[in-house]
């Protein structure tokens, strides 16, 4: 599916564990590669194929740098629509729901997106009041 992607077959995009010891080491390898994803039309397909959250992936996939399946950084222009579809959970609409979507590297559901927007608005109002 993504065998025409510019990163296909390049082991640097999924560096072996013995090449880095911590997040800064992983970022040192992956940050210079992230630009390759900038105009890549396969970002969403890459995420679907690798499923970084489920695979606890470390490296570059779908225009993002991942550590243990969690997004550390994203290329300019990365869009949440490239992430997997959200799963509805009982915790949706709360802080725990937001964390669950992020851990699963999926888009936010409507309830969690509304929750996030309300808290951002509140933070702005409190910031303006101080």
């Amino acid at each position: 599916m993504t065998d025409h992607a510019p990163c296909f077959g390049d082991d640097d995009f999924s560096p072996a564990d013995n090449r880095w010891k911590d997040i800064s080491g992983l970022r040192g390898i992956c940050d210079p590669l992230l630009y390759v994803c900038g105009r890549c039309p396969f970002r969403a397909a890459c995420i679907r194929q690798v499923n970084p959250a489920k695979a606890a992936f470390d490296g570059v996939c779908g225009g993002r740098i991942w550590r243990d399946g969690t997004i550390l950084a994203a290329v300019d222009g990365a869009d949440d629509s490239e992430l997997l579809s959200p799963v509805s959970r009982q915790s949706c609409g709360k802080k725990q729901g937001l964390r669950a979507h992020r851990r699963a590297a999926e888009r936010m559901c409507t309830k969690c997106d509304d929750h996030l927007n309300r808290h951002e608005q509140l933070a702005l109002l409190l910031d303006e009041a101080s």
Side-chain angles (χ1 to χ4, degrees):
M1 179 186 234
T2 58
D3 58 344
H4 296 296
C7 63
F8 184 76
D10 189 335
D11 292 336
D12 283 343
F13 284 79
S14 180
D17 291 344
N18 65 358
R19 291 188 53 205
W20 55 277
K21 294 183 190 284
D22 56 19
I23 289 174
S24 66
L26 179 65
R27 294 284 307 260
I29 295 168
C30 295
D31 280 351
L33 302 172
L34 198 54
Y35 82 94
V36 174
C37 302
R39 302 189 78 173
C40 182
F42 300 104
R43 291 194 310 230
C46 186
I47 291 170
R48 283 192 310 273
Q49 185 171 335
V50 174
N51 199 347
K54 187 173 183 178
F57 180 77
D58 300 324
V60 178
C61 174
R64 292 150 179 88
I65 298 175
W66 304 78
R67 166 66 177 111
D68 199 26
T70 301
I71 299 169
L72 299 177
V75 69
D76 286 341
D79 191 297
D80 282 351
S81 68
E82 298 163 341
L83 298 173
L84 301 175
S85 297
V87 172
S88 183
R89 299 171 176 82
Q90 284 188 321
S91 60
C92 285
K94 304 172 192 153
K95 191 166 138 179
Q96 297 86 347
L98 292 169
R99 279 193 298 235
H101 290 304
R102 288 187 178 130
R103 278 194 306 271
E106 61 194 27
R107 294 188 301 269
M108 297 282 170
C109 69
T110 304
K111 286 182 183 178
C112 287
D113 195 41
D114 290 345
H115 177 78
L116 182 62
N117 288 334
R118 282 193 308 272
H119 278 81
E120 287 175 347
Q121 291 295 328
L122 180 60
L124 287 173
L125 289 171
L126 291 173
D127 192 40
E128 289 174 3
S130 59

